[in-house]
Amino acid sequence: MNKLLKLRDKIINEFYVKDWREVWFFPQFKNIKGVEKVKGYLGTDPIVFLSINPSYGSYPSPADIFYYENLQQQGFANAHLTDLFKVKIKNDEVDETLANKSELARAIKLLNEELEIIKPKLVVAVGKRHKKLYESVIGNKYPVYLIPHYSQRYNDNTKQKQFRSALRAVKVKYEKL
């Protein structure tokens, strides 16, 4: 965990201190009954749940709570939760940020440092919209498994069932590795 804390400090210094850009890391849930065990960014099990970027939504949102509850229920309380981009990006600016080659290269470099610390058996890409990006970023270094996103805009009853089903499939796949 010390290596993760050092990397987090590096990221904070690089983006927040030097550029005054808002960084965000998946926190450990402490104040929500039933999900206090999910470690978030500080999780060290060899499985990574990778999203594209932190949003500007308030935290913890109902979608965040849903995500953490389901991770804990499937035994992923100590999974490493992270984003490709460590800075908050507005939804309508994501495509522009992805097209910025220097920003993308910077994000990939930091993610690779993170993955070297965790050494995952499996990277779970959260959100199927960016399938090709996830595959190109991770390459052949780690197995990648895609699941639907948990966010509010994708989170009606049908999507929640699909998410839960996909997370159960992740558990089966992970246990076989």
Side-chain angles (χ1 to χ4, degrees):
M1 183 162 41
N2 282 339
K3 289 180 180 181
L4 284 174
L5 290 171
K6 286 179 185 178
L7 180 58
R8 186 178 70 175
D9 287 346
K10 174 184 171 179
I11 293 167
I12 290 168
N13 188 54
E14 186 173 325
F15 291 103
Y16 182 71
V17 175
K18 291 181 180 175
D19 287 348
W20 203 252
R21 295 167 67 190
E22 190 172 355
V23 297
W24 190 86
F25 301 89
F26 283 94
Q28 178 177 356
F29 260 43
K30 294 182 179 179
N31 301 323
I32 299 170
K33 187 176 181 177
V35 290
E36 60 273 349
K37 295 179 182 174
V38 176
K39 301 290 185 198
Y41 177 82
L42 296 178
T44 56
D45 280 354
I47 183 167
V48 172
F49 287 82
L50 174 64
S51 300
I52 289 292
N53 65 284
S55 73
Y56 273 94
S58 62
Y59 178 85
S61 70
D64 296 322
I65 295 167
F66 170 80
Y67 185 42
Y68 276 62
E69 284 175 341
N70 282 279
L71 287 171
Q72 183 166 309
Q73 287 170 3
Q74 293 304 318
F76 296 125
N78 197 34
H80 183 73
L81 311 182
T82 195
D83 291 291
L84 172 61
F85 293 100
K86 307 302 187 217
V87 296
K88 289 191 170 193
I89 303 170
K90 294 179 183 173
N91 287 337
D92 61 350
E93 296 174 355
V94 172
D95 289 337
E96 180 182 328
T97 305
L98 287 168
N100 182 323
K101 292 186 187 314
S102 65
E103 280 292 318
L104 183 57
R106 188 178 185 188
I108 291 170
K109 180 183 178 293
L110 290 169
L111 178 65
N112 283 330
E113 289 182 45
E114 202 171 342
L115 295 176
E116 280 300 313
I117 293 168
I118 299 298
K119 298 185 184 340
K121 293 182 195 175
L122 182 64
V123 175
V124 180
V126 180
K128 295 182 177 184
R129 177 177 172 224
H130 299 289
K131 177 183 180 188
K132 289 182 182 178
L133 174 67
Y134 286 131
E135 290 170 347
S136 69
V137 166
I138 303 302
N140 295 326
K141 197 165 188 179
Y142 307 102
V144 177
Y145 189 85
L146 275 87
I147 63 171
H149 205 282
Y150 63 90
S151 74
Q152 197 68 25
R153 65 182 172 166
Y154 304 117
N155 208 356
D156 61 23
N157 285 336
T158 301
K159 304 263 182 180
Q160 286 180 354
K161 287 178 185 176
Q162 291 170 348
F163 180 85
R164 286 186 190 105
S165 176
L167 203 55
R168 286 189 296 273
V170 168
K171 182 177 182 177
V172 169
K173 184 172 185 67
Y174 180 66
E175 288 174 348
K176 289 181 180 179
L177 296 174

